[in-house]
């Protein structure tokens, strides 16, 4: 009987829905460093609130802990967008900065105000990290 219960427990763990991550891109119309992204988000915050924003400028990475405790990863893609079609898209839209963003789908509403701060300060938009960059997730 115990054997059967253990098997049921393992099966229930396998059926637990895993969070779905969204792979997005912030494409800015200005050249922007991780430091500048951080400054826009942390301006006016207390020191305790600033602890939710960690960044490593030397490697172009930022980690944001949202109020729900979900984490948003941000990584510079500058210099990595070399595909001819990607470069053409960026030129067409005046894109000078690209950051890859990973955020749990359930936390996209929490992340939106932060993305909008970047767009207000540096222009651009947030789109899907897909072949055609669609759909546009947030734009002005």
């Amino acid at each position: 009987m115990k054997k059967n219960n253990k098997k049921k427990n393992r099966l229930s763990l396998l059926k637990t829905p895993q969070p779905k991550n969204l792979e997005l891109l912030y494409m800015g119309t200005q050249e922007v460093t991780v430091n500048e992204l951080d400054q826009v988000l942390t301006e006016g915050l207390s020191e305790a609130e600033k602890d939710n924003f960690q960044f490593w400028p030397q490697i172009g990475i930022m980690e944001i802990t949202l109020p729900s405790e979900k984490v948003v990863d941000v990584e510079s893609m500058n210099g990595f967008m070399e595909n001819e079609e990607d470069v053409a898209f960026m030129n067409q839209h005046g894109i000078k900065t690209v950051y890859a963003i990973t955020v749990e789908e359930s936390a996209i509403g929490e992340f939106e105000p932060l993305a909008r701060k970047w767009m207000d300060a540096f222009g651009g938009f947030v789109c899907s990290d897909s072949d055609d960059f669609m759909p546009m997730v947030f734009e002005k």
Side-chain angles (χ1 to χ4, degrees), residues 27 85-86 89 93 127-136:
M27 293 191 165
E85 292 165 352
D86 295 349
F89 179 90
H93 291 89
C127 61
S128 176
D129 186 0
S130 62
D131 289 340
D132 62 358
F133 305 112
M134 294 293 160
M136 290 290 176

Side-chain angles (χ1 to χ4, degrees), residues 101-112:
I101 302 165
T102 303
V103 59
E104 242 182 74
E105 185 175 38
S106 64
I108 194 71
E110 282 183 279
F111 174 66
E112 181 177 1

Side-chain angles (χ1 to χ4, degrees), residues 77-95:
M77 296 298 292
N78 295 329
F80 293 101
M81 304 288 283
E82 296 174 353
N83 175 305
E84 191 175 303
E85 292 165 352
D86 295 349
V87 172
F89 179 90
M90 291 168 56
N91 288 338
Q92 179 185 354
H93 291 89
I95 301 303

Side-chain angles (χ1 to χ4, degrees), residues 2 5 10 19 22 24 28-29 32 44-45 58-59 72 76 80 88 93 98-99 104 126:
K2 283 186 180 182
N5 284 341
R10 278 189 242 139
L22 298 175
L24 308 174
T29 54
V32 182
L45 297 180
Q58 61 276 23
I59 56 175
V72 178
S76 175
F80 293 101
H93 291 89
V98 180
Y99 284 88
E104 242 182 74
V126 175

Side-chain angles (χ1 to χ4, degrees), residues 3-96:
K3 227 181 205 184
N4 205 10
N5 284 341
K6 284 184 181 180
K7 191 173 185 178
K8 282 183 184 178
N9 286 339
R10 278 189 242 139
L11 288 176
S12 68
L13 287 174
L14 293 175
K15 292 180 184 179
T16 303
Q18 297 299 311
K20 180 180 176 189
N21 284 333
L22 298 175
E23 302 297 331
L24 308 174
L25 296 172
Y26 167 61
M27 293 191 165
T29 54
Q30 297 179 33
E31 291 185 21
V32 182
T33 66
V34 172
N35 290 13
E36 292 168 317
L37 291 178
D38 181 70
Q39 287 171 357
V40 165
L41 297 181
T42 59
E43 185 177 338
L45 297 180
S46 70
E47 289 305 312
E49 291 169 316
K50 287 180 182 180
D51 287 344
N52 292 321
F53 300 86
Q54 303 296 317
F55 69 101
W56 299 269
Q58 61 276 23
I59 56 175
I61 292 178
M62 174 186 282
E63 184 179 273
I64 303 166
T65 304
L66 300 170
S68 65
E69 298 297 317
K70 292 184 168 82
V71 174
V72 178
D73 293 315
V74 180
E75 181 178 350
S76 175
M77 296 298 292
N78 295 329
F80 293 101
M81 304 288 283
E82 296 174 353
N83 175 305
E84 191 175 303
E85 292 165 352
D86 295 349
V87 172
F89 179 90
M90 291 168 56
N91 288 338
Q92 179 185 354
H93 291 89
I95 301 303
K96 301 206 180 338

